[in-house]
């Protein structure tokens, strides 16, 4: 008898990297390059990203992970007395060990709708008095896909962007799973749209087939001159920047990044469709590679014997929303197995 | 005619990774692992490091780079009013964009001797009055090898360690180039010694054949429980911790890390011997893979046509100390070429 | 015709100091004293406060104001990754320009009941996962009186204190208006109780007849050794500490501080009784020198012609809760005038 | 037998306030005023200060003490990666418990000349490479009088100011003892000069007859809009701002502040003249109310029996520079006594 391994639907970073990335790392390995992101691969990756959004003016920086990108962007763009507005479920508010506050900034959090912010939710936060006695809201932080797997529509993002401009707020999109957002069948945004609506955003590599890395895209020109100082000061400047450049160059060649995300989304959709056909509800709309079906206890406990996933949020005494995550590396076979087991369990 | 490339003696991070590392990444690529450093490769790497220093009690954490390791350790171990003492040439004092101060801590810097600290240099910093009106010195930061290429002897480190213990100071060794220190022919320290003399230190991977990564070793038990919170808060916790674990596992198998450092050191020694035989002086003793020969302007300018290296520090109107760095990836041929050109130039 | 002055019910810091304080400052003026709180007046004040709570072991420090006391205590007692829990209406969360976050700490805020926290409100905040990825709640911040004029009962404070101890949370009471709380007819707490239930609290002078000053009382012994460093580092150590010592010595002689608070409370009670008799509701129970009657627009606009007070919170299209504040310096005549005008307006 | 009191030459904050200040506090005590520095006294004080420097455009803010003023100004004017340059003996570098670093900024300190900075001392600090890897020097901090009792000449300040402008550096003068500088017989600067040479400075009240208070004068327009947020965030905004306004109004009426400083300086000069006539040397030139004569051990130990002063810095085995400080409150009689005792001792 062999060792038994659980099949993981826990997250989208359980494996290494897409094979093309490893191959490219090997091919370029002994090429001598200058450090700290000034290598030719990083430059090529920047050009790919600029072309993809038709913004030759954009500054692009590669950093190692999402929390690092978030704290870096927020600390670099805000003055000490300025705050950032987010949904309560926002990653910066829940799962970054206070990284934003550690840089000195208040997160003003409000309950979101489907994990999303709207101008209506932001408006009350802007009512402040007396002047100087309160923080000054200056940035809106959103995630796309959200932490609850939903995606922003073009109309929603446009409304947020216009509201931000009208209220002197910067709009920052956490794109740790931006590929999955753009690859979602519910999406009607282009990368070009995002670049025009946001002051800054990033494109996640870690959760989409890279070993590590997020590409921070800075559109608003007033922060460009100073941003590299912040990167170094926060310990986010990698000596071998080539490692990040090579990966993003590979991901953007032939739109590999979107292809990987489509794979992840389509497998999640299969599971979602199955859940729906079996009569299960969802915590939020299933729109990307993270879905949150609500399952009764007996079904959950049986599934847990064979599959790894998070029990996300209790709904009532019996039911709990679970989080199922697929990725570029998830196999069709594992998804088929999950669906079959789910159908069997529900029919009991 | 082809493109002409300069031969780089600029630093020890111009190439990718040692081929065994790339090979191991490929082999393990699709193995599903849990995230954030809880994977089996990271655990294996920790065991290798614990064994190498005979300290099964040590906590080992992998982070992406040197500045990140430095700010993380210092911010985690010091209270807000505590300071860290360093030599003026210390990396934290010169080339980290104020990363330490950005975490709230003062660096009290003094002129070093050969890039090194001694109890005599520290003593005046400890004279403070009145109480509560000054920072409280609490940590001594040293680098081994130093930023000037020198290494600490066992007697020197022991003296510092005893002085620190007697004065309630924590001793922290920046080991971005620790392998080169241990592999130096001037070294008489073991990894075990270092673990017994320091409260915390790290073992550099980035400059010794890894794609990225430093292994932070925490010996002092009072900080262990809390350290992981700091790692996450500083954005230093990598989702795919396996990337760091696999690399350190590979580096510590069959003492690859020391072998790579010996290669780097021996090539630097060849250049140093040549310089000495030609009558050139050095800024500091050539003891590792960074050497600082003092060359006249005409020699420097000729060398610069073919080789990349830093002009480090002017000595007089004509002469300047240059920094020549070799690495695990430096070829014997490039070193031979450099030596031949240097001999030719000096004879003119 | 002379200049017309509005009668102020805006706050409790519109005047200078109680005359006994000015007299005492004059009497002691040329006495030479050592600086930074080591003077004999500060020592006498500390003894008065220790006696009043029967806690000779307590450390007492005087600082200039409430925001300073709050940021100082929280920054001194929390580690970088630890958070403080507060009601959304808490002063640290609303009116301190992000002072707490500027020291690096997250405020986790929840909706309060009558401006107060309870164990039930805290409990959900303590549910965190995964470990290390979230802040670690470590302190509970309450205000007494609250920002909404209510007071904690002994049973409420005891329940909070026991809950905090059981969950390894520090309990910190912002006592900017502690005198008014203790002097409230709804109060059943003694200063001794407060000292036994809290790890740290402060006694406000600024809003109770002093020119400035809050007395921070540190009970929990583990922070005592280090607290003075924090005071100096935050710019909160006054060279002429005597100024604070003399005032608190005067306030604690013959319980002047409680006498002043009783005066303020009783005048607010008169206004509250009048409001109640006229059929007006309140935003929160009127229990101290800050009351929040809900008045229709026509009454409010008439009152605003003669009196200064804040329109606090709209209730519906017509009605708004106003904040009326009395103080040690409020005259019976001004209160009588306000009541008469209110009765006249309501009868129209 | 009565109690014996030491005569204090320890500092310039051993007494309360100038009697006119206490009188004015009493006269205005029950006048109702708005809070947080918006009272009419603060406005009057601001007008006095603006007039005295002929700068109606200047913003003036009152805060409680010197460390608070320093950390506030530096944190408000610098971006996270910018540093401040100071002499090693600068107050921010030595006696503020790391307050500046606690706001995230590096102090780059150099050995001063007579406690002063010069362009020549600053120049080497500006040599930085590589870009982004080092802090960016952005402010020069000087004290006038210096921590060693010396004063800047007009030529010296002008040279610094021009150098700063040429190098994009802000010039900040810590004027905790600015009155003593302007009242020094070695001074050739006017307040108007200082306002034209500096971007920001402050005028000390605490050490010149006020109970507390420093007037921060902001000339550079780019920081004005935001400064009040910083004041509140740092806990430096006093509810009863009137207390500071009344004091500065009084100090600036009839140039009381300069009169008090002249008194202090002239008494120090008497002691300095005596020392000189007795053949004693000085650590630095005696130019203000702080002087540093170098005395042999036997003289020092005899003087210590009757007078309080600091032993500042050992010169050799026998001699030590002491610090003698006079103030607005120092009596002629005490100075005469000190001089007589010194003459007697020296003649032995």
């Amino acid at each position: 008898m062999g060792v038994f391994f659980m099949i993981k639907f826990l997250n989208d970073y359980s494996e290494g990297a897409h094979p093309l990335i490893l191959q490219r790392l090997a091919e370029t390995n002994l090429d001598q390059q200058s450090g700290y992101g000034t290598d030719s691969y990083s430059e090529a990756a920047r050009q790919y990203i600029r072309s993809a959004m038709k913004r030759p003016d954009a500054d692009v920086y590669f950093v190692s992970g999402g929390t690092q990108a978030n704290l870096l962007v927020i600390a670099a763009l805000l003055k000490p007395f300025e705050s950032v507005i987010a949904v309560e479920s926002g990653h910066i508010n829940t799962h970054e060990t206070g990284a934003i506050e550690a840089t000195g900034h208040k997160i003003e959090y409000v309950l979101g709708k489907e994990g999303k912010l709207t101008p209506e939710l932001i408006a009350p936060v802007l009512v402040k008095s007396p002047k100087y006695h309160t923080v000054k809201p200056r940035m809106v932080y959103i995630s796309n896909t959200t932490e609850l797997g939903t995606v922003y529509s073009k109309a929603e993002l446009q409304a947020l962007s216009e509201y931000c401009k009208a209220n002197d707020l910067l709009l920052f999109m956490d794109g740790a799973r931006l590929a999955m957002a753009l690859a979602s069948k519910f999406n009607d945004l282009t990368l070009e749209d995002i670049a025009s609506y946001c002051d800054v955003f990033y494109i996640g590599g870690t959760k989409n087939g890279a070993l590590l890395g997020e590409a921070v895209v800075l559109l608003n020109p007033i922060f460009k001159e100073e941003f590299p100082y912040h990167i170094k000061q926060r310990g986010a400047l990698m000596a071998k920047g080539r490692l990040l450049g090579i990966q993003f160059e590979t991901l953007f060649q032939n739109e590999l990044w979107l292809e990987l995300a489509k794979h992840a989304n389509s497998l999640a959709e299969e599971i979602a469709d199955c859940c729906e056909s079996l009569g299960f509800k969802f915590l939020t709309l299933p729109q990307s590679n993270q879905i949150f079906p609500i399952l009764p206890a007996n079904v959950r406990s049986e599934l847990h014997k064979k599959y790894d996933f998070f029990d996300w949020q209790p709904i009532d005494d019996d039911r709990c929303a679970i989080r199922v995550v697929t990725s570029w590396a998830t196999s069709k076979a594992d998804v088929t197995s999950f669906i079959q087991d789910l159908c069997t369990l529900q029919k009991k």
Side-chain angles (χ1 to χ4, degrees), chain A:
Chain A
M1 263 179 50
V3 179
F4 174 77
F5 289 102
M6 301 287 276
I7 298 175
K8 288 194 197 306
F9 293 107
L10 273 175
N11 58 50
D12 25 24
Y13 41 85
S14 292
E15 292 85 5
H18 189 272
L20 277 175
I21 285 177
L22 292 188
Q23 179 187 322
R24 189 79 182 123
L25 286 175
E27 287 167 6
T28 60
N29 192 42
L30 290 181
D31 185 19
Q32 285 197 315
Q33 289 281 336
S34 56
Y36 303 111
T38 63
D39 58 286
S40 61
Y41 308 112
S42 294
E43 187 49 33
R46 282 190 284 268
Q47 289 303 345
Y48 269 116
I49 293 172
R50 288 184 188 118
S51 294
M53 43 181 200
K54 303 195 182 87
R55 285 293 294 266
D57 62 307
D59 275 6
V60 181
Y61 298 97
F62 303 105
V63 299
S64 72
T67 297
Q68 194 170 75
N70 286 330
L71 76 86
L72 177 60
V73 166
I74 294 172
L77 272 64
L78 297 190
K79 290 171 183 163
F81 52 86
E82 294 176 340
S83 70
V84 54
I85 300 169
V87 288
E88 196 174 22
S89 53
H91 202 261
I92 56 168
N93 192 51
T94 55
H95 287 108
E96 300 189 355
T97 317
I100 305 310
E101 292 86 357
T103 70
H105 300 284
K106 187 178 190 71
I107 302 171
E108 304 196 82
Y109 52 86
V110 298
L111 277 177
K113 289 184 178 163
E114 291 274 316
K116 292 187 265 187
L117 266 185
T118 65
E120 292 67 34
L121 292 169
I122 297 171
V125 181
L126 303 189
V127 180
K128 302 279 188 193
S129 91
K131 198 176 177 183
Y132 302 129
H133 288 246
T134 75
V135 288
K136 188 176 178 184
R138 173 67 171 142
M139 181 185 276
V140 167
Y141 165 93
I142 57 174
S143 304
N144 196 24
T145 69
T146 70
E147 292 77 6
L148 300 177
T150 52
V151 302
Y152 278 87
S153 71
K154 183 166 178 173
E156 288 171 337
L157 188 62
Q158 188 176 0
L160 270 177
S161 179
E162 287 170 4
Y163 185 82
C164 286
K165 281 185 176 58
N167 289 281
D168 199 25
L169 296 165
L170 301 165
L171 184 55
F172 168 33
M173 181 185 284
D174 172 336
R177 293 187 177 96
L178 185 58
M180 289 74 143
L182 294 182
S184 167
K185 65 177 192 180
F186 299 89
N187 174 65
D188 60 353
L189 282 164
T190 63
L191 197 61
E192 201 179 344
D193 292 333
I194 289 170
S196 77
Y197 291 138
C198 296
D199 294 277
V200 57
F201 70 98
Y202 64 90
I203 303 168
T206 309
K207 290 166 178 162
N208 193 32
L211 289 167
L212 82 168
E214 320 289 304
V216 179
V217 180
L218 203 49
L219 288 317
N220 191 320
I222 65 174
F223 304 107
K224 289 183 178 179
E225 167 63 20
E226 302 174 353
F227 202 72
Y229 284 106
H230 292 279
I231 295 177
K232 178 63 186 167
Q233 190 180 63
R234 297 290 172 188
L237 188 60
M238 279 182 50
K240 293 182 180 170
R242 66 194 291 150
L243 171 60
L244 298 169
I246 290 163
Q247 294 186 89
F248 275 93
E249 189 189 12
T250 307
L251 284 171
F252 271 77
Q253 276 174 339
N254 304 316
E255 302 202 325
L256 176 61
W257 69 304
L258 294 176
E259 187 189 310
L260 298 184
K262 271 177 208 154
H263 173 84
N265 285 356
S266 70
L267 292 180
E269 191 184 343
E270 288 188 30
I271 297 174
D273 287 349
C274 166
C275 289
E276 201 164 3
S277 71
L278 294 173
F280 296 125
K281 304 281 183 199
F282 294 87
L283 180 68
T284 51
L285 292 174
Q287 300 189 321
S288 67
N289 72 317
Q290 293 186 91
I291 60 173
F292 298 79
I294 296 170
L295 302 183
N298 64 325
V299 173
R300 278 199 329 276
S301 61
E302 285 300 311
L303 287 174
H304 270 309
K305 291 177 184 167
K306 196 163 157 193
Y307 305 96
D308 269 342
F309 55 85
F310 279 110
D311 285 347
W312 190 260
Q313 189 181 304
I315 302 298
D316 54 31
D317 281 354
D318 181 51
R319 297 180 310 154
C320 179
I322 67 165
R323 186 179 81 160
V324 174
V325 189
T326 55
S327 82
W328 64 276
T330 303
S331 72
K332 175 80 177 168
D334 285 347
V335 167
T336 303
S337 162
F338 187 88
I339 287 175
Q340 285 174 346
D341 288 341
L342 191 57
C343 290
T344 309
L345 285 166
Q346 177 65 347
K347 284 167 191 163
K348 278 183 186 169

